[in-house]
Short mmCIF file of all heavy atoms in Angstrom, two decimals:
data_model
loop_
_atom_site.label_atom_id
_atom_site.label_comp_id
_atom_site.label_asym_id
_atom_site.label_seq_id
_atom_site.Cartn_x
_atom_site.Cartn_y
_atom_site.Cartn_z
N GLU A 499 -33.54 -21.91 19.70
CA GLU A 499 -33.97 -21.12 18.56
C GLU A 499 -33.81 -19.62 18.83
O GLU A 499 -33.33 -18.86 17.98
CB GLU A 499 -35.42 -21.44 18.21
CG GLU A 499 -35.95 -20.69 16.99
CD GLU A 499 -35.20 -21.01 15.71
OE1 GLU A 499 -34.64 -22.12 15.60
OE2 GLU A 499 -35.15 -20.14 14.81
N GLN A 500 -34.21 -19.18 20.05
CA GLN A 500 -34.08 -17.76 20.40
C GLN A 500 -32.62 -17.34 20.46
O GLN A 500 -32.26 -16.24 20.02
CB GLN A 500 -34.76 -17.48 21.75
CG GLN A 500 -36.28 -17.57 21.71
CD GLN A 500 -36.79 -18.96 22.02
OE1 GLN A 500 -36.14 -19.96 21.72
NE2 GLN A 500 -37.97 -19.05 22.62
N GLU A 501 -31.77 -18.23 20.99
CA GLU A 501 -30.34 -17.89 21.06
C GLU A 501 -29.76 -17.79 19.65
O GLU A 501 -28.96 -16.89 19.36
CB GLU A 501 -29.58 -18.95 21.86
CG GLU A 501 -28.12 -18.59 22.06
CD GLU A 501 -27.29 -19.68 22.71
OE1 GLU A 501 -27.81 -20.79 22.94
OE2 GLU A 501 -26.09 -19.43 22.96
N TYR A 502 -30.19 -18.69 18.78
CA TYR A 502 -29.71 -18.67 17.40
C TYR A 502 -30.09 -17.36 16.71
O TYR A 502 -29.25 -16.72 16.05
CB TYR A 502 -30.29 -19.86 16.64
CG TYR A 502 -30.14 -19.78 15.13
CD1 TYR A 502 -28.92 -20.07 14.53
CD2 TYR A 502 -31.21 -19.41 14.32
CE1 TYR A 502 -28.77 -19.98 13.15
CE2 TYR A 502 -31.08 -19.33 12.95
CZ TYR A 502 -29.85 -19.61 12.37
OH TYR A 502 -29.70 -19.52 11.02
N GLU A 503 -31.35 -16.93 16.84
CA GLU A 503 -31.79 -15.70 16.20
C GLU A 503 -31.02 -14.49 16.72
O GLU A 503 -30.69 -13.57 15.97
CB GLU A 503 -33.30 -15.50 16.43
CG GLU A 503 -34.17 -16.52 15.69
CD GLU A 503 -34.01 -16.44 14.17
OE1 GLU A 503 -33.61 -15.38 13.66
OE2 GLU A 503 -34.30 -17.46 13.50
N LEU A 504 -30.74 -14.48 18.04
CA LEU A 504 -29.96 -13.37 18.61
C LEU A 504 -28.52 -13.40 18.09
O LEU A 504 -27.93 -12.34 17.82
CB LEU A 504 -29.96 -13.45 20.14
CG LEU A 504 -31.22 -12.93 20.83
CD1 LEU A 504 -31.19 -13.28 22.31
CD2 LEU A 504 -31.33 -11.42 20.66
N LEU A 505 -27.95 -14.59 17.95
CA LEU A 505 -26.60 -14.71 17.41
C LEU A 505 -26.54 -14.12 16.01
O LEU A 505 -25.60 -13.35 15.68
CB LEU A 505 -26.17 -16.18 17.38
CG LEU A 505 -24.83 -16.46 16.68
CD1 LEU A 505 -23.68 -15.80 17.42
CD2 LEU A 505 -24.59 -17.97 16.56
N ILE A 506 -27.52 -14.43 15.19
CA ILE A 506 -27.56 -13.88 13.83
C ILE A 506 -27.63 -12.35 13.89
O ILE A 506 -26.93 -11.64 13.14
CB ILE A 506 -28.78 -14.45 13.04
CG1 ILE A 506 -28.65 -15.97 12.87
CG2 ILE A 506 -28.92 -13.76 11.70
CD1 ILE A 506 -27.41 -16.41 12.12
N GLN A 507 -28.45 -11.83 14.79
CA GLN A 507 -28.59 -10.38 14.92
C GLN A 507 -27.26 -9.74 15.35
O GLN A 507 -26.87 -8.69 14.81
CB GLN A 507 -29.67 -10.06 15.95
CG GLN A 507 -30.06 -8.57 16.01
CD GLN A 507 -31.20 -8.32 16.98
OE1 GLN A 507 -31.89 -9.23 17.41
NE2 GLN A 507 -31.37 -7.07 17.36
N VAL A 508 -26.57 -10.37 16.29
CA VAL A 508 -25.28 -9.84 16.77
C VAL A 508 -24.24 -9.86 15.65
O VAL A 508 -23.52 -8.87 15.44
CB VAL A 508 -24.77 -10.66 17.99
CG1 VAL A 508 -23.33 -10.29 18.31
CG2 VAL A 508 -25.65 -10.41 19.20
N LEU A 509 -24.17 -10.97 14.92
CA LEU A 509 -23.16 -11.08 13.86
C LEU A 509 -23.43 -10.12 12.71
O LEU A 509 -22.51 -9.77 11.96
CB LEU A 509 -23.11 -12.52 13.34
CG LEU A 509 -22.60 -13.58 14.33
CD1 LEU A 509 -22.64 -14.96 13.69
CD2 LEU A 509 -21.20 -13.26 14.81
N ARG A 510 -24.66 -9.69 12.56
CA ARG A 510 -24.99 -8.74 11.48
C ARG A 510 -24.68 -7.29 11.86
O ARG A 510 -24.67 -6.42 10.99
CB ARG A 510 -26.48 -8.85 11.14
CG ARG A 510 -26.81 -10.01 10.23
CD ARG A 510 -28.30 -10.07 9.96
NE ARG A 510 -28.62 -11.02 8.92
CZ ARG A 510 -29.84 -11.46 8.67
NH1 ARG A 510 -30.86 -11.04 9.41
NH2 ARG A 510 -30.05 -12.31 7.70
N MET A 511 -24.44 -7.03 13.14
CA MET A 511 -24.18 -5.66 13.58
C MET A 511 -22.87 -5.18 12.99
O MET A 511 -21.85 -5.87 13.05
CB MET A 511 -24.15 -5.59 15.11
CG MET A 511 -25.50 -5.82 15.75
SD MET A 511 -25.43 -5.70 17.55
CE MET A 511 -25.08 -3.96 17.73
N LYS A 512 -22.88 -3.98 12.46
CA LYS A 512 -21.74 -3.49 11.69
C LYS A 512 -20.48 -3.31 12.53
O LYS A 512 -19.38 -3.60 12.09
CB LYS A 512 -22.10 -2.16 11.01
CG LYS A 512 -23.01 -2.34 9.81
CD LYS A 512 -23.17 -1.03 9.07
CE LYS A 512 -23.98 -1.22 7.79
NZ LYS A 512 -24.13 0.03 7.04
N THR A 513 -20.63 -2.76 13.74
CA THR A 513 -19.44 -2.43 14.53
C THR A 513 -19.20 -3.40 15.67
O THR A 513 -18.39 -3.14 16.54
CB THR A 513 -19.55 -1.00 15.09
OG1 THR A 513 -20.74 -0.90 15.88
CG2 THR A 513 -19.60 0.02 13.97
N ASN A 514 -19.91 -4.52 15.69
CA ASN A 514 -19.71 -5.47 16.78
C ASN A 514 -18.40 -6.25 16.57
O ASN A 514 -18.10 -6.70 15.47
CB ASN A 514 -20.87 -6.46 16.86
CG ASN A 514 -20.74 -7.38 18.06
OD1 ASN A 514 -20.80 -6.92 19.20
ND2 ASN A 514 -20.54 -8.66 17.82
N THR A 515 -17.61 -6.38 17.64
CA THR A 515 -16.37 -7.13 17.57
C THR A 515 -16.65 -8.60 17.90
O THR A 515 -17.23 -8.90 18.94
CB THR A 515 -15.35 -6.56 18.57
OG1 THR A 515 -15.15 -5.18 18.30
CG2 THR A 515 -14.02 -7.28 18.45
N VAL A 516 -16.21 -9.50 17.01
CA VAL A 516 -16.37 -10.93 17.26
C VAL A 516 -15.18 -11.38 18.11
O VAL A 516 -14.12 -11.74 17.59
CB VAL A 516 -16.45 -11.74 15.95
CG1 VAL A 516 -16.66 -13.22 16.24
CG2 VAL A 516 -17.58 -11.21 15.07
N HIS A 517 -15.33 -11.30 19.43
CA HIS A 517 -14.25 -11.70 20.33
C HIS A 517 -14.23 -13.23 20.46
O HIS A 517 -15.11 -13.94 19.97
CB HIS A 517 -14.41 -11.05 21.69
CG HIS A 517 -15.78 -11.18 22.27
ND1 HIS A 517 -16.23 -12.35 22.85
CD2 HIS A 517 -16.82 -10.30 22.35
CE1 HIS A 517 -17.47 -12.19 23.26
NE2 HIS A 517 -17.86 -10.95 22.97
N SER A 518 -13.21 -13.74 21.16
CA SER A 518 -12.99 -15.19 21.21
C SER A 518 -14.17 -15.94 21.86
O SER A 518 -14.53 -17.03 21.41
CB SER A 518 -11.70 -15.49 21.97
OG SER A 518 -11.74 -14.94 23.27
N LYS A 519 -14.77 -15.33 22.90
CA LYS A 519 -15.89 -16.00 23.57
C LYS A 519 -17.09 -16.12 22.64
O LYS A 519 -17.74 -17.18 22.56
CB LYS A 519 -16.26 -15.22 24.82
CG LYS A 519 -17.28 -15.94 25.71
CD LYS A 519 -17.51 -15.15 27.01
CE LYS A 519 -18.54 -15.86 27.89
NZ LYS A 519 -18.78 -15.12 29.14
N LEU A 520 -17.40 -15.04 21.91
CA LEU A 520 -18.53 -15.06 20.97
C LEU A 520 -18.24 -16.03 19.83
O LEU A 520 -19.12 -16.78 19.40
CB LEU A 520 -18.78 -13.65 20.44
CG LEU A 520 -19.91 -13.51 19.41
CD1 LEU A 520 -21.25 -13.94 20.00
CD2 LEU A 520 -19.99 -12.06 18.90
N LEU A 521 -17.00 -16.02 19.34
CA LEU A 521 -16.62 -16.93 18.27
C LEU A 521 -16.80 -18.38 18.72
O LEU A 521 -17.38 -19.21 17.99
CB LEU A 521 -15.17 -16.69 17.86
CG LEU A 521 -14.55 -17.69 16.86
CD1 LEU A 521 -15.31 -17.68 15.54
CD2 LEU A 521 -13.08 -17.37 16.63
N GLY A 522 -16.34 -18.69 19.94
CA GLY A 522 -16.47 -20.05 20.46
C GLY A 522 -17.91 -20.50 20.57
O GLY A 522 -18.26 -21.63 20.17
N ARG A 523 -18.78 -19.60 21.08
CA ARG A 523 -20.19 -19.97 21.22
C ARG A 523 -20.86 -20.11 19.85
O ARG A 523 -21.69 -21.01 19.65
CB ARG A 523 -20.94 -18.91 22.05
CG ARG A 523 -22.39 -19.24 22.35
CD ARG A 523 -22.53 -20.58 23.03
NE ARG A 523 -23.92 -21.03 23.13
CZ ARG A 523 -24.28 -22.29 23.28
NH1 ARG A 523 -23.36 -23.25 23.34
NH2 ARG A 523 -25.55 -22.62 23.36
N ALA A 524 -20.50 -19.24 18.90
CA ALA A 524 -21.08 -19.34 17.55
C ALA A 524 -20.73 -20.68 16.91
O ALA A 524 -21.57 -21.33 16.28
CB ALA A 524 -20.58 -18.18 16.69
#
Side-chain angles (χ1 to χ4, degrees):
E499 182 61 27
Q500 290 90 329
E501 185 187 4
Y502 167 78
E503 291 298 336
L504 281 171
L505 174 64
I506 297 300
Q507 189 177 344
V508 169
L509 294 178
R510 279 179 170 166
M511 291 181 68
K512 285 188 175 181
T513 58
N514 185 65
T515 303
V516 182
H517 49 77
S518 57
K519 188 175 179 180
L520 178 61
L521 172 61
R523 184 56 189 158

